[in-house]
Amino acid sequence: MSLVPALRCIVTHLFGPSPPLTPHLVVASSILNQFQKPLSSLLSQPQKAFFTRSKSHLTPKDRTLVLKNDEQVGCSGAVDGFERVECSSTIAAIVTSVGGPPGAVGIVRLSGPSAVAIASRVFQPARKSRRRSLSSNSWRPTSHMVEYGLVKDSNGNVVDEVLAVPMLAPRSYTREDIVELQCHGSNICLHRVLRACLEAGARLAEPGEFTLRAFLNGRLDLSQVENVGKLISARSAVAADAALAGLQGGFSSMVKKLRSQCIELLTEIEARLDFDDEMPPLDLDLMVRTIHSMMKDVETALETANYDRFLQSGLQIAIIGRPNVGKSSLLNAWSKSERAIVTEIAGTTRDVVEAGITVYGIPVTLLDTAGIRETDNVVEKIGVERSEAVAVGADVIIMVISAIDGWTSEDSELLERVKSVKKSSGSSTLAILVINKMDCVAPGHLEWDAGDGSFFSKHVFTSALTGHGVQDLERAVMDIVGLNRIPAGGRQWTVNQRQCEQLIRTKEALKRLEMSVWEEMPLDFWTIDLRDAALALGQISGEDISEEVLSNIFGKFCIGK
């Protein structure tokens, strides 16, 4: 027990004083001026952070943020009591897709304190309002009211007819004044309008800077920011629904609740460290029930991590087998297209043929491979080598055999060859055995032996000619990759790898806390685990986050978002 004061001193030094976990965002004017520099340099300033703990303070004169060197960057996603960031620069960018075929409409967005002033220099309403005529040439728009007019460059030349949509702070995406100019969708029109805005005083936005300002102004927390990126890059309707569910705050609410519970428990425990004689004893049963409830919420969130990985990167399925067992026919039947050439000649496929499909909302790439066998043909040998390489890199292997021939010695040799390649690469194996050409076999007359059946997680009977068994094959794929428990069509938010790592850290901290309770460890040890859990949850929401992580997240966004 004599070590407890020393340990408590160490804990206080490492984690800071007890109250600072309550999040609040304070942004200094000296930091905000850095928006005029590239985003990468903004986020890499070693001592210019966006989050203050209790050791930091603002001087009354210049409201300059003062931080210790080891403080971490963070941001509160809370809206209540939030002090809005006042950025000194106004940014502009094209926010609709460019580079492809032109659309009917494109949008140039301005955001910042001078958004309306800059827009008034380039935008001329078709019908001058009385307010404009009474106040020289300044444009005084009504928030969220569309106005039609012309955009003129610095020389007074008309560059496009547009609709101007003002969204004044705080009722905007960034919680700053925003003006969107809806132009004609050609690249020429968009870039001319953008150039006019830049000449009028705006600067070009960095990648992700609109969303960064929304984050700094408390419009979004960091987990919602990541779902914005997911929504933009969604490859299926289910992926878009999952991103929307996260963007609307489903996951954020859970994280906020868990962090609040950690802070409440921490407050209760630390109060007893200082005033133990004056407070009633802790209700240990209630504390353990609270810990179990928190761990259950964390485990529920962790179950979605695998689903998120497949939603974002998709699933690769390699279809392998000896020649002429119906691999190409199966790919065509599954993808409902004639992607692969099908003939009666064995060895028709010499290269890897790809087809993209969606299985229960998961983007799937089917890879039809050359038949794997020993051959002296140089071209076919290259195809066999590529087939083996594809099998190593695939998430799932589907080995096809013919129901007419059953399991043959060639199938056994192929299986041993694939197992040897997978073992040498060190990759795990998820495999399904497909018995194809069931339309050619009389019901009840199929006799076959799958050799080493332990290699295959599922067996499915199909007919590529009729399409029979394809849905069974899809269900088998979902089962072996662990996605069978995800509700079909549900708006289920998911967690990405970064969030998953912090949730695992939270879970481990809660487990240690429970062990400390049952082993009746000193209360100082309880605070260590609670603080670790709260900090991990703060990493998810952005309330306690490093500059490197912020730079990595916002660097993945496109210019205009």
Side-chain angles (χ1 to χ4, degrees), residues 286-307:
L286 177 60
M287 175 170 284
V288 170
R289 286 197 301 271
T290 302
I291 294 171
H292 286 169
S293 174
M294 294 167 67
M295 289 176 63
K296 185 176 180 181
D297 287 340
V298 171
E299 289 168 356
T300 299
L302 285 172
E303 288 177 357
T304 70
N306 196 39
Y307 187 46

Side-chain angles (χ1 to χ4, degrees), residues 70-93:
D70 61 347
E71 298 276 46
Q72 285 186 306
V73 165
C75 179
S76 171
V79 174
D80 296 335
F82 184 80
E83 182 177 349
R84 190 166 57 88
V85 173
E86 292 292 348
C87 295
S88 60
S89 62
T90 296
I91 56 176

Side-chain angles (χ1 to χ4, degrees), residues 535-556:
L535 290 175
L537 294 166
Q539 289 270 340
I540 295 174
S541 62
E543 290 164 300
D544 189 7
I545 193 71
S546 69
E547 297 170 1
E548 182 180 358
V549 173
L550 275 182
S551 181
N552 181 52
I553 290 172
F554 287 101
K556 295 177 182 178

Side-chain angles (χ1 to χ4, degrees), residues 24-79:
H24 61 285
L25 182 69
V26 183
V27 182
S29 58
S30 60
I31 295 174
L32 296 176
N33 291 333
Q34 299 300 318
F35 275 99
Q36 297 177 357
K37 299 180 180 180
L39 181 60
S40 56
S41 64
L42 168 65
L43 293 177
S44 62
Q45 298 297 322
Q47 297 181 18
K48 302 196 176 190
F50 301 113
F51 179 78
T52 176
R53 291 162 64 178
S54 62
K55 294 181 181 179
S56 59
H57 62 276
L58 292 175
T59 60
K61 181 178 179 181
D62 55 7
R63 297 184 61 81
T64 301
L65 183 63
V66 180
L67 294 175
K68 299 294 184 182
N69 290 341
D70 61 347
E71 298 276 46
Q72 285 186 306
V73 165
C75 179
S76 171
V79 174

Side-chain angles (χ1 to χ4, degrees), residues 76 124 259 264 308 534:
S76 171
Q124 178 182 316
R259 193 168 187 272
E264 287 176 6
D308 179 79

Side-chain angles (χ1 to χ4, degrees), residues 251-267:
F251 178 53
S252 298
S253 298
M254 190 203 74
V255 171
K256 186 177 180 180
K257 183 190 76 171
L258 288 173
R259 193 168 187 272
S260 176
Q261 289 175 315
C262 286
I263 294 172
E264 287 176 6
L265 290 175
L266 188 61
T267 303

Side-chain angles (χ1 to χ4, degrees), residues 304-315 395 481 494-496:
T304 70
N306 196 39
Y307 187 46
D308 179 79
R309 181 171 71 87
F310 289 126
L311 279 180
Q312 304 311 314
S313 59
L315 190 67
D395 298 301
V481 298
T494 60
V495 298
N496 60 25

Side-chain angles (χ1 to χ4, degrees), residues 225-533:
V225 165
E226 290 171 304
N227 278 294
V228 171
K230 288 181 185 179
L231 185 57
I232 294 171
S233 60
R235 297 168 57 186
S236 67
V238 174
D241 284 345
L244 279 171
L247 182 58
Q248 291 169 359
F251 178 53
S252 298
S253 298
M254 190 203 74
V255 171
K256 186 177 180 180
K257 183 190 76 171
L258 288 173
R259 193 168 187 272
S260 176
Q261 289 175 315
C262 286
I263 294 172
E264 287 176 6
L265 290 175
L266 188 61
T267 303
E268 287 285 328
I269 294 170
E270 291 200 339
R272 282 162 176 79
L273 286 172
D274 296 324
F275 309 103
D276 191 24
D277 297 335
E278 303 174 16
M279 300 190 69
L282 282 170
D283 187 340
L284 296 185
D285 290 336
L286 177 60
M287 175 170 284
V288 170
R289 286 197 301 271
T290 302
I291 294 171
H292 286 169
S293 174
M294 294 167 67
M295 289 176 63
K296 185 176 180 181
D297 287 340
V298 171
E299 289 168 356
T300 299
L302 285 172
E303 288 177 357
T304 70
N306 196 39
Y307 187 46
D308 179 79
R309 181 171 71 87
F310 289 126
L311 279 180
Q312 304 311 314
S313 59
L315 190 67
Q316 281 202 339
I317 298 178
I319 304 174
I320 66 170
R322 58 187 174 85
N324 214 26
V325 294
K327 301 185 299 299
S328 298
S329 298
L330 180 61
L331 177 134
N332 289 343
W334 202 348
S335 64
K336 298 180 175 61
S337 65
E338 297 297 323
R339 290 286 293 122
I341 298 174
V342 177
T343 70
E344 297 294 331
I345 303 172
T348 300
T349 302
R350 298 293 180 90
D351 206 346
V352 178
V353 179
E354 296 187 9
I357 62 172
T358 300
V359 178
Y360 294 104
I362 303 294
V364 174
T365 301
L366 301 177
L367 304 170
D368 178 28
T369 64
I372 299 177
R373 63 177 177 179
E374 294 293 337
T375 178
D376 295 327
N377 186 295
V378 176
V379 177
E380 188 175 359
K381 185 177 292 186
I382 294 173
V384 170
E385 291 173 353
R386 291 185 178 181
S387 298
E388 292 175 343
V390 165
V392 170
D395 298 301
V396 177
I397 293 175
I398 292 179
M399 181 173 171
V400 183
I401 67 171
S402 170
I404 300 173
D405 303 326
W407 187 269
T408 67
S409 59
E410 291 181 342
D411 293 319
S412 297
E413 293 174 4
L414 184 153
L415 179 59
E416 290 302 318
R417 189 167 178 172
V418 171
K419 288 167 68 176
S420 175
V421 172
K422 295 286 284 185
K423 185 177 180 179
S424 62
S425 67
S427 58
S428 59
T429 301
L430 294 174
I432 297 174
L433 179 65
V434 169
I435 302 90
N436 194 31
K437 301 187 178 181
M438 289 299 297
D439 55 293
C440 299
V441 179
H445 289 76
L446 175 65
E447 296 182 3
W448 61 282
D449 180 11
D452 184 7
S454 62
F455 180 77
F456 301 104
S457 304
K458 296 279 185 178
H459 299 156
V460 180
F461 299 91
T462 66
S463 169
L465 183 64
T466 64
H468 172 74
V470 171
Q471 290 187 347
D472 294 336
L473 183 55
E474 290 183 348
R475 284 192 290 269
V477 169
M478 291 297 103
D479 286 346
I480 68 171
V481 298
L483 300 180
N484 52 323
R485 290 174 300 191
I486 300 297
R491 295 169 64 86
Q492 172 69 51
W493 48 261
T494 60
V495 298
N496 60 25
Q497 182 179 354
R498 185 191 73 84
Q499 296 162 350
C500 181
E501 291 171 357
Q502 299 304 321
L503 286 171
I504 292 174
R505 177 183 165 191
T506 302
K507 183 179 177 180
E508 291 174 349
L510 293 174
K511 283 183 176 179
R512 293 194 303 269
L513 173 62
E514 183 184 15
M515 189 177 300
S516 297
V517 173
W518 289 124
E519 293 179 358
E520 299 183 354
M521 298 287 286
L523 296 182
D524 299 77
F525 291 92
W526 301 15
T527 64
I528 295 175
D529 299 324
L530 275 171
R531 194 176 294 276
D532 193 23

